[in-house]
Amino acid sequence: MKKIIIIAVVLFTTVSIHAQKNNYIEKKVKIVSEHIATEMNLTKDQAAFLAVTLYEKYSSNAGKIKGKNISKEERKEIYRAAFITTKEKLSEQFSKKEITQISKLERLKQKELNN
């Protein structure tokens, strides 16, 4: 019986921590994607596609970085790979010029959020 209780507590804690990380990522995606959508006058479909793409990027980066003792160079490589993957994904719906503008607006908003 003790083992079942311990397993349940550990499982609940793990799920709770995971949900908190997702909430943070979801809030960040919402803020950034809404900012970009407003600045660029995106359609609802484009804004939704952008939000999903950014969520995938942020959650993937968090999964590769958080809780791991990795160097600054390794982080740069992860971010660089995520940038390339995101750029390719965005090219399904946006032009090169739009992708450049999205990247610029995203960086600016993230700087603002981090300060």
Side-chain angles (χ1 to χ4, degrees):
M1 185 69 179
K2 276 186 173 181
K3 288 182 181 181
I4 293 174
I5 293 173
I6 292 172
I7 291 171
V9 169
V10 170
L11 184 61
F12 176 75
T13 304
T14 303
V15 169
S16 177
I17 290 170
H18 183 65
Q20 288 173 350
K21 287 182 184 178
N22 285 344
N23 284 338
Y24 171 75
I25 292 170
E26 287 174 7
K27 287 178 185 177
K28 185 175 178 179
V29 166
K30 182 178 181 195
I31 292 167
V32 173
S33 63
E34 285 179 357
H35 173 71
I36 294 168
T38 302
E39 290 292 318
M40 293 181 63
N41 295 320
L42 300 180
T43 66
K44 287 183 181 182
D45 289 341
Q46 288 174 319
F49 179 79
L50 176 65
V52 168
T53 304
L54 291 178
Y55 183 84
E56 290 171 357
K57 174 184 175 182
Y58 297 163
S59 62
S60 174
N61 285 349
K64 293 176 183 174
I65 292 173
K66 297 290 181 190
K68 298 182 175 72
N69 190 17
I70 59 175
S71 70
K72 237 181 185 179
E73 287 302 314
E74 290 172 315
R75 284 178 187 235
K76 283 183 182 181
E77 287 300 317
I78 290 169
Y79 292 139
R80 188 174 293 123
F83 174 76
I84 292 168
T85 302
T86 302
K87 188 175 168 182
E88 290 171 358
K89 179 85 172 172
L90 290 173
S91 69
E92 295 173 14
Q93 297 247 343
F94 300 101
S95 68
K96 286 183 181 183
K97 185 177 177 181
E98 290 171 322
I99 293 170
T100 301
Q101 189 175 4
I102 288 169
S103 296
K104 181 180 175 184
L105 290 169
E106 179 189 8
R107 276 193 309 274
L108 291 173
K109 193 62 177 178
Q110 283 193 14
K111 277 186 181 181
E112 181 184 310
L113 293 173
N114 291 336
N115 289 329

